[in-house]
Amino acid sequence: MVDRLANSEANTRRISIVENCFGAAGQPLTIPGRVLIGEGVLTKLCRKKPKARQFFLFNDILVYGNIVIQKKKYNKQHIIPLENVTIDSIQDEGDLRNGWLIKTPTKSFAVYAATATEKSEWMNHINKCVSDLLSKSGKTPSNEHAAVWVPDSEATVCMRCQKAKFTPVNRRHHCRKCGFVVCGPCSEKRFLLPSQSSKPVRICDFCYDLLSTGEMTACQSARSDSYSPSPKSSLNDVSDDDEDEDSSD
């Protein structure tokens, strides 16, 4: 069915509409063979709080952006190649339900659908697209994924030293390797993670020690791949925005 839609006028028109919704700031999305599979609003778990984002699933990429005007205008376009994507279901907890992880070597995060049926449809379609892409290319699924960042609201003290309390002065930082919320003194070092950045990025002392000795697999927290968020709200809106590609996330 995807092959049949690839060169149809209806598909070309739908992709053109998506391009126009992102405006001049968005990247062109129309290429030969690309098909728009579906779209919808999902709740993305951002660093400060869950936020609604518009998602578009194509047969080769996943695109999302901030909603400026519903169905008419979006900004801060993000494009994720599907052949690098792995998804894992998340158990329901509190108000956060019908969620799953979208994991890539560059960035990983949790999203939530409005219903269990919608979640199932999204996951099935994503898995089918990824499977088809890997089958055609002969590539193997990616086994390296960026850590899912722990939301600011889940850490009132540093998750490494367990002592430093976060205040408007003592700000939160995120380790780019394990995703933990850590204090400044526990994350003064930087390390080159080529899949995430061309320059060294902030990591915690614990991950730095393991990376420096070559024990990279041990550095990845189990929590990053089996993330179960707590539905707590943040009491103070203090967090670092260094190297964050989108300060709202």
Side-chain angles (χ1 to χ4, degrees):
M1 180 177 179
V2 170
D3 293 337
R4 189 171 71 248
L5 290 172
N7 299 314
S8 71
E9 290 185 10
N11 177 65
T12 302
R13 186 168 59 252
R14 292 176 68 198
I15 295 178
S16 178
I17 291 173
V18 175
E19 282 185 349
N20 292 335
C21 286
F22 278 102
Q27 295 185 36
L29 299 173
T30 303
I31 66 169
R34 177 168 289 164
V35 175
L36 178 58
I37 305 297
E39 62 183 272
V41 176
L42 298 173
T43 298
K44 180 177 178 288
L45 194 63
C46 302
R47 61 186 305 172
K48 294 181 181 179
K49 62 180 180 180
K51 298 177 181 178
R53 297 285 184 259
Q54 181 74 27
F55 280 78
F56 301 91
L57 176 63
F58 297 84
N59 59 330
D60 62 333
I61 58 174
L62 182 66
V63 178
Y64 72 92
N66 295 8
I67 301 170
V68 179
I69 302 175
Q70 182 67 34
K71 295 291 185 180
K72 292 185 178 181
K73 187 177 180 182
Y74 313 108
N75 65 10
K76 297 186 178 178
Q77 183 192 68
H78 299 263
I79 299 177
I80 302 174
L82 280 179
E83 65 179 16
N84 295 329
V85 168
T86 301
I87 59 175
D88 288 325
S89 181
I90 303 174
Q91 291 186 348
D92 293 343
E93 185 173 344
D95 295 332
L96 296 174
R97 308 177 67 82
N98 310 314
W100 68 97
L101 295 179
I102 296 175
K103 301 188 294 183
T104 79
T106 304
K107 184 175 184 177
S108 301
F109 52 91
V111 293
Y112 297 85
T115 66
T117 299
E118 187 179 343
K119 169 186 174 178
S120 177
E121 291 176 348
W122 270 101
M123 292 189 69
N124 288 339
H125 285 307
I126 293 173
N127 275 327
K128 180 65 165 60
C129 290
V130 173
S131 177
D132 288 347
L133 279 173
L134 294 177
S135 177
K136 290 179 180 179
S137 67
K139 296 180 180 179
T140 56
S142 175
N143 58 6
E144 181 182 359
H145 307 111
V148 178
W149 285 16
V150 176
D152 289 355
S153 58
E154 293 204 17
T156 56
V157 299
C158 174
M159 297 177 71
R160 284 305 182 195
C161 69
Q162 300 291 323
K163 296 178 181 178
K165 292 184 178 181
F166 296 120
T167 68
V169 176
N170 188 31
R171 302 166 62 210
R172 292 172 170 84
H173 301 275
H174 277 86
C175 172
R176 270 56 175 179
K177 183 60 181 176
C178 67
F180 277 16
V181 183
V182 291
C183 63
C186 283
S187 59
E188 292 180 339
K189 298 182 176 66
R190 293 174 183 267
F191 199 92
L192 181 62
L193 302 177
S195 63
Q196 295 190 37
S197 176
S198 60
K199 59 183 180 180
V201 294
R202 179 188 294 273
I203 61 174
C204 68
D205 291 348
F206 177 78
C207 288
Y208 182 85
D209 290 342
L210 290 175
L211 286 165
S212 298
T213 57
E215 301 178 39
M216 297 184 70
T217 55
C219 180
Q220 186 66 43
S221 165
R223 178 174 185 151
S224 298
D225 285 340
S226 58
Y227 184 63
S228 180
S230 169
K232 293 182 290 186
S233 60
S234 179
L235 297 178
N236 47 17
D237 191 21
V238 287
S239 59
D240 70 310
D241 57 5
D242 58 317
E243 302 162 345
D244 194 358
E245 63 182 5
D246 179 354
S247 60
S248 67
D249 286 1

